[in-house]
Amino acid sequence: MSKVYTEKVAKAQSLAEGLKRNFDRVKGLGITDEQIQKLISTAEETAKMSEELDALREVVKVKASAANAKLTELTDCLRDAKQIVKTNFDQLSWIDFGIEDKR
């Protein structure tokens, strides 16, 4: 979990535990058992979603790395093919091969 999520979940869990321990003191102030349970369940859901988010970030990292490698491969192929055309044909013919370079 990221630091923000970890801290917020920990704060929610700590508060919920404190409210449960001191329920007699806060029930007259409008705090209900349902609110405490919602705080606990929301913290648990948040922690779970954060873990899912971390897993997705890892997938994106792997996919981005693979895409960048493939882009490098494409750039190399493009450069090699253009070089063959450019060294074997005059500049006016390059457009016939789809090369729009001026040089």
Side-chain angles (χ1 to χ4, degrees):
M1 267 194 298
S2 74
K3 184 177 179 179
V4 172
Y5 283 85
T6 302
E7 288 176 356
K8 203 63 92 163
V9 167
K11 286 179 182 181
Q13 290 170 334
S14 178
L15 177 59
E17 288 302 314
L19 290 172
K20 283 170 49 177
R21 278 193 315 271
N22 296 288
F23 187 67
D24 289 339
R25 295 169 62 186
V26 295
K27 68 181 174 185
L29 302 173
I31 299 291
T32 65
D33 189 49
E34 291 80 26
Q35 284 177 302
I36 297 170
Q37 293 307 316
K38 181 171 171 87
L39 183 59
I40 293 168
S41 66
T42 303
E44 289 170 353
E45 291 172 20
T46 301
K48 181 181 175 194
M49 292 178 87
S50 178
E51 290 171 7
E52 291 172 359
L53 188 57
D54 289 343
L56 290 171
R57 283 187 181 115
E58 186 60 33
V59 170
V60 168
K61 180 180 168 184
V62 169
K63 293 282 186 178
S65 178
N68 286 335
K70 192 54 73 173
L71 181 60
T72 299
E73 182 182 346
L74 176 61
T75 300
D76 293 344
C77 290
L78 182 62
R79 183 193 62 241
D80 294 346
K82 283 171 70 172
Q83 189 61 35
I84 291 170
V85 171
K86 286 182 171 186
T87 56
N88 290 293
F89 296 93
D90 66 52
Q91 188 175 355
L92 296 175
S93 301
W94 293 354
I95 194 74
D96 295 336
F97 295 94
I99 300 174
E100 298 178 9
D101 298 351
K102 301 289 183 199
R103 293 182 176 192

